[in-house]
Amino acid sequence: NKLGLTKDEIGTGEKSLLYSDYRDFTPPEWKTVEEEHWAFYRNWIAEIARFRGMTTGRVDSLARGRVWTGSQAEANGLIDTVGYFEHALKVACDLAGIGDRRRVALVHLPARMGIIQTIMSRAALEDVAAYALYRVFFDMKSPGEELFIRHELERPVR
């Protein structure tokens, strides 16, 4: 508002502004959103049932927002087996035809950055730019005042 920026929206069809952030849903729109939700849910449980060899009723009785542990999911037929990292690595190597797992290099992302990389990172540069814009628009004492860019680390270092 201080900068005089506004946002407009243009609808091109009956439901094109359904998810507008300017207003709440109308009762017919709520009905549409609810119908879309349940259509997605029914399709989701049908796909699970198809791939797990179950009925949709069985999948529905297990679903409905529940969270299962790995052991419970396995007991209920929702997963093939409980595996851990080493098991996943073995399966991936088998599928890729890699017989010698020592040929696989594990890369941890994001990689640790040195001090120069940190200073030159996109996040640091964005922080500097945001600070500069803040100073230009909200914090200058007089119209002729010079702008000096200063960056202070505001986030706690972990």
Side-chain angles (χ1 to χ4, degrees):
N1 288 339
K2 288 182 181 181
L3 297 175
L5 300 176
T6 62
K7 182 174 105 175
D8 297 312
E9 60 185 7
I10 298 172
T12 56
E14 180 185 345
K15 295 179 183 173
S16 61
L17 299 176
L18 181 66
Y19 293 103
S20 168
D21 58 352
Y22 282 112
R23 59 182 175 73
D24 289 333
F25 295 129
T26 64
E29 288 172 336
W30 267 116
K31 186 175 186 232
T32 298
V33 169
E34 187 176 351
E35 288 169 355
E36 287 177 355
H37 165 78
W38 286 111
F40 176 85
Y41 176 78
R42 285 189 302 274
N43 183 62
W44 178 64
I45 64 170
E47 287 293 293
I48 294 169
R50 183 167 69 94
F51 285 102
R52 301 305 309 166
M54 305 167 108
T55 66
T56 55
R58 173 75 177 138
V59 175
D60 185 48
S61 73
L62 294 168
R64 297 291 175 136
R66 290 183 187 86
V67 176
W68 300 103
T69 65
S71 301
Q72 292 169 328
E74 184 178 22
N76 285 316
L78 296 173
I79 61 173
D80 294 333
T81 187
V82 175
Y84 298 93
F85 181 76
E86 286 300 320
H87 179 254
L89 182 60
K90 180 187 179 317
V91 170
C93 286
D94 291 346
L95 289 171
I98 301 171
D100 184 4
R101 286 193 4 223
R102 292 176 298 185
R103 292 181 47 217
V104 176
L106 300 179
V107 179
H108 296 275
L109 298 174
R112 271 192 170 288
M113 292 191 293
I115 186 70
I116 300 299
Q117 290 171 312
T118 301
I119 291 170
M120 297 305 294
S121 73
R122 181 178 178 156
L125 295 174
E126 286 173 353
D127 287 347
V128 170
Y131 180 79
L133 288 173
Y134 174 82
R135 289 289 314 266
V136 166
F137 291 118
F138 303 108
D139 201 29
M140 294 191 78
K141 304 296 183 230
S142 67
E145 182 179 337
E146 291 185 46
L147 174 68
F148 292 94
I149 298 176
R150 178 182 58 139
H151 176 68
E152 296 176 7
L153 186 62
E154 296 182 55
R155 292 177 224 129
V157 178
R158 295 179 190 218

